[in-house]
Amino acid sequence: EIEAKYTKKMQVLRDELDLRRKTEIHEVEERKNSQISELMRNHEKAFSDIKNYYNDITLKNLALISLLKEQAEEMKKRENHLEKEKADVLLQNKQLKEPLQQAQEQVSELQKKLAHYDKDKEALTNAKARLKVTQKELKDLQWEHEVLEQRFSKVQEERDELYRKFTKAINEVQQKTGFKNLLLERKLKGLLSVLEKKEVELSEVFAASNLDPGALSLVSHKLEDVLNSKNTTIKDLQLQLARACKAHNDMLQTFEAKLTAFGIPLDNLGFKPLASPVPGQ
C-alpha cells in the first residue's frame, strides 16, 4: 500500500512535473519565438534601414557623379575659356610691354621729381611769400599810378597852358625880333649910305680945296677918328644884331626841346618857326 501510495504520488508528481516542464518548455518556446520574431523584425527593420541608407547613398552618389560630370564639363569649358583669356592676356601683355616700360620710365622720372618735391615746395612757399610782397607792391604801384595819372593830367593842363603861353611869347618875340632886326638893318644901311655920301663929299672937298699937307693931315686924322667912331658904332650894332639873332635861335631850340620832352610833335604847331641867320656866319 505504501509502495502503491508512493508510486501513485510519484506518478502524480511526475505528471505535475511533466506538465510543469511542458508548460515551462512552452513558455520558453513562446519567449524564443517572440524573441526570434522580435529579432527578425529588428533585422528586417535594420536591413530596410540599411537598404534605404545605401539606396540614398547610391542616389546621392549618382547625383554627385552627375553633378561632378556637369562641373567637370563646366570646368573644362572654363578651362578652355581661361586658355583663350590667357592667350588674350599674353597678347595684351605683349602689347602693353612697351607702354609698361614707358610707364616705368615715367615712374622713375616722377620719382626723381618727387625727390625734388621738398625743394619745390619750399620754393613754392618762398614764391607765395614773394607773391604777397609783389601784390602789396603792385597795390602801392597802382596807387602811385593813380596819383601819377592825376599829376599827369594836371601836368598836361599845365603843359597845354604853357604851350599856349609859349606860342604867344614866340609870336611876340618873333614879331619884336623881326621888327628890331629890320630897324637895325635899315639903320645900318642908312649909316652906310651916309658914310658913302660923306666920303664922296670929302673927296670932292679935298679935290676942290688947296689945303696944305699939315691941315690936310689934320683933317684926315679927324676924319679917320670920325670914321673909326662910326665903324665902332656899326660893329656894336652888328654885335647887337648877332646877339638878338642868337637869342632868337636859342629860344627856338629850347622851345623844340620842351615840345619833345612833353611828347608833342613839332608838326602840331601849325607853322614852321623862322630861324634868323646870324650875321657874319
Side-chain angles (χ1 to χ4, degrees):
E1 290 176 0
I2 292 170
E3 186 179 1
K5 184 179 176 179
Y6 278 98
T7 302
K8 187 176 178 179
K9 283 184 177 183
M10 188 176 60
Q11 187 63 37
V12 172
L13 183 58
R14 186 177 290 170
D15 291 337
E16 289 178 358
L17 290 173
D18 189 29
L19 181 61
R20 188 176 179 181
R21 180 181 61 79
K22 287 182 181 179
T23 303
E24 289 178 354
I25 290 170
H26 181 70
E27 290 177 356
V28 169
E29 286 182 353
E30 286 183 356
R31 287 198 298 273
K32 181 191 72 173
N33 292 330
S34 176
Q35 289 178 356
I36 290 170
S37 297
E38 184 69 21
L39 287 173
M40 288 180 68
R41 285 196 300 274
N42 291 334
H43 289 170
E44 288 178 357
K45 184 176 182 302
F47 179 75
S48 177
D49 292 339
I50 290 172
K51 185 177 179 181
N52 292 331
Y53 173 73
Y54 282 105
N55 287 331
D56 292 337
I57 290 175
T58 303
L59 292 175
K60 288 180 180 180
N61 288 334
L62 291 174
L64 181 61
I65 290 170
S66 177
L67 180 62
L68 290 174
K69 285 182 178 180
E70 292 178 357
Q71 289 180 355
E73 292 179 357
E74 185 69 23
M75 291 294 290
K76 190 173 182 180
K77 292 180 180 178
R78 289 183 62 188
E79 183 180 2
N80 294 330
H81 183 68
L82 289 174
E83 286 292 335
K84 293 181 180 179
E85 289 184 352
K86 179 182 177 182
D88 295 337
V89 168
L90 289 175
L91 182 60
Q92 290 178 0
N93 288 337
K94 187 176 181 181
Q95 294 176 352
L96 294 174
K97 186 176 181 181
E98 184 176 356
L100 177 62
Q101 186 176 0
Q102 294 178 357
Q104 287 177 349
E105 292 177 356
Q106 291 179 358
V107 169
S108 178
E109 186 67 23
L110 291 174
Q111 286 178 349
K112 291 180 181 179
K113 291 182 179 179
L114 183 62
H116 300 287
Y117 173 74
D118 294 333
K119 294 182 180 179
D120 294 339
K121 188 176 180 181
E122 185 178 358
L124 179 61
T125 304
N126 296 331
K128 287 182 179 179
R130 289 197 299 271
L131 178 61
K132 290 182 179 179
V133 175
T134 306
Q135 286 177 348
K136 185 177 181 302
E137 292 178 353
L138 178 61
K139 290 181 180 178
D140 296 338
L141 290 174
Q142 287 177 348
W143 181 77
E144 291 179 1
H145 178 68
E146 292 178 358
V147 173
L148 289 175
E149 280 186 346
Q150 294 176 0
R151 291 177 61 186
F152 179 70
S153 299
K154 187 176 180 181
V155 169
Q156 278 185 334
E157 293 176 358
E158 293 177 354
R159 182 202 64 185
D160 295 337
E161 183 66 24
L162 181 62
Y163 175 72
R164 287 192 294 271
K165 290 181 179 179
F166 199 64
T167 304
K168 184 177 179 182
I170 285 292
N171 294 328
E172 292 177 355
V173 169
Q174 280 184 342
Q175 292 176 0
K176 290 179 180 179
T177 304
F179 183 70
K180 189 174 182 180
N181 291 339
L182 182 61
L183 290 178
L184 289 174
E185 288 178 357
R186 288 182 179 180
K187 189 174 181 180
L188 181 60
K189 288 180 180 179
L191 289 174
L192 290 175
S193 177
V194 172
L195 179 60
E196 290 177 356
K197 289 180 180 181
K198 293 296 182 180
E199 287 179 351
V200 171
E201 290 176 357
L202 184 59
S203 297
E204 291 178 353
V205 169
F206 284 158
S209 65
N210 293 318
L211 296 176
D212 58 350
L216 184 59
S217 177
L218 180 60
V219 173
S220 297
H221 284 299
K222 288 183 179 180
L223 184 59
E224 287 178 0
D225 292 336
V226 173
L227 291 175
N228 290 330
S229 177
K230 295 299 182 180
N231 289 329
T232 302
T233 303
I234 290 172
K235 289 181 179 179
D236 291 336
L237 292 174
Q238 288 177 347
L239 182 60
Q240 291 178 9
L241 178 61
R243 288 176 180 173
C245 292
K246 187 176 185 305
H248 175 72
N249 294 333
D250 291 341
M251 184 180 61
L252 288 179
Q253 291 178 358
T254 304
F255 179 66
E256 291 177 357
K258 289 291 184 181
L259 291 179
T260 304
F262 283 113
I264 301 174
L266 298 178
D267 297 336
N268 291 344
L269 289 176
F271 64 92
K272 184 177 180 181
L274 180 61
S276 299
V278 180
Q281 296 182 357

